[in-house]
Amino acid sequence: MKKRKGHMTTTSASQPNHPWLVLIGLALGVTVTNGFARFAYGLLLPAMKSEMGWNYAQAGWLNTANAIGYIVGAVATMILIHRASPSRLFAFGLLATTLSLLATGLYAALWWQTLWRVLAGVFGAMSFSTAGALTAQLFRDDPKRNALAIAILFGSGGGFGIVLAGAALPLMLGTFGYGSWPFGWVMIGATSLLFLPLGLWAARQLHAPRQADSKAPPLPIRRILPELAGYAGFGLGYIVYLTFLSAWMTEQSASAGFIALVWVILGLCISASPIVWRPILARYASGLPLAMILTGIAIGSALPVILPNGPALLISAVVFGLSVFMAPGAVTNFSRQNLPPESWGTAISFFTVVFAVAQTIGPYAAGWVGDLSGNIGTSLLVAAGILLIGAAFALLQKPLEQ
């Protein structure tokens, strides 16, 4: 496969002295902004729903509120990336997300929870979307290692957070009762504080150019519509599983230990997913990687409902985990392979906006379907169908002209 020569030139910024340590710092940022800020709520949802007397739509609302904040953060990043470096945006977003997580556990009122879920979304999107642009600067002369770095960022970063939260939160709730859920948020925020120094250091090691520093061509929106549509399907569908999995397992009378086991396996598989997907991400500049990933997420989402037993749940966690966090890696790699370096930040931010708008609909709509049908498992099946539609769109994406 040929590469556009103009698109694969390096920027003037030098490589950091310790690129793998920089990658670890950036990945720990994703642990905070995605593994904790986005997905730990799914583990605490059964307790919060029970303690507050919420229905599924109300429980889904807090993740929708987080997704609304994510839209604001993604749009703000698209604007600010013309005025501030990705490094500064990443660092500010990481610090502010950490403080938002700590604040979430300080007061139980719904308005307070909504406020900090929104702010965690705003700042998390800012850090998450710039993390991809920063990581794309690593190993610029080695496409295979570059693809591995991008895959590790999104896979291992988020997966590590889910392993930690999955191992601790269900057992904490099982031991101390559902009333202990505020302490769960404090634990998450405190852990984020531990990761903060390395993440801030990593951001200072990379100097990706501001969009204003270069004369990047406008994004070819019409030519990347299939990839955008596939990524929108990802946003609509993936969040249902991660929001309501624990609630569905609780309805099936799963023990706290088994819930923890499923989430730990899920997180471990997310962390291992870069190894599985690296060759595919490095080889294809088309929408095929995203289509394959969305198909895996769909299968993982549907399995618990089609085969509602322990072994099927474990298989579901494996399949879903090996796929879910590679979707951002797929669009980041697509941008890197098809666009000039000066456009990477804007392109990834634009993909993030599309994703953010789509995922806003998912949690509340899934909760509404669950209330209407009396079974949140129905929402998991609907999400699987949406993911497969997204995969079909992604398959239509061809590489841009070489």
Side-chain angles (χ1 to χ4, degrees), residues 370-397:
D371 289 330
L372 193 66
S373 65
N375 183 358
I376 198 64
T378 305
S379 300
L380 292 171
L381 291 177
V382 172
I386 291 171
L387 288 160
L388 289 175
I389 293 171
F393 276 114
L395 272 178
L396 301 175
Q397 179 67 60

Side-chain angles (χ1 to χ4, degrees), residues 195-217:
F195 297 158
L196 194 58
L198 186 57
L200 296 180
W201 172 83
R204 290 197 300 270
Q205 308 310 304
L206 291 167
H207 305 285
R210 296 198 309 264
Q211 189 69 43
D213 292 338
S214 57
K215 295 181 179 179

Side-chain angles (χ1 to χ4, degrees), residues 49-133:
K49 178 177 180 291
S50 175
E51 291 292 298
M52 309 289 194
W54 294 339
N55 58 28
Y56 279 118
Q58 290 170 314
W61 158 250
L62 280 186
N63 253 6
T64 288
N66 183 259
I68 291 171
Y70 213 86
I71 295 175
V72 175
V75 172
T77 302
M78 283 194 69
I79 297 170
L80 291 172
I81 207 165
H82 292 264
R83 297 168 174 83
S85 70
S87 298
R88 290 185 178 181
L89 294 175
F90 173 85
F92 176 77
L94 177 56
L95 174 60
T97 303
T98 298
L99 297 178
S100 298
L101 291 172
L102 279 169
T104 305
L106 300 181
Y107 190 52
L110 181 60
W111 70 266
W112 179 269
Q113 295 296 310
T114 299
L115 170 65
W116 292 106
R117 292 298 289 156
V118 169
L119 291 177
V122 172
F123 301 125
M126 185 178 295
S127 187
F128 181 70
S129 57
T130 50

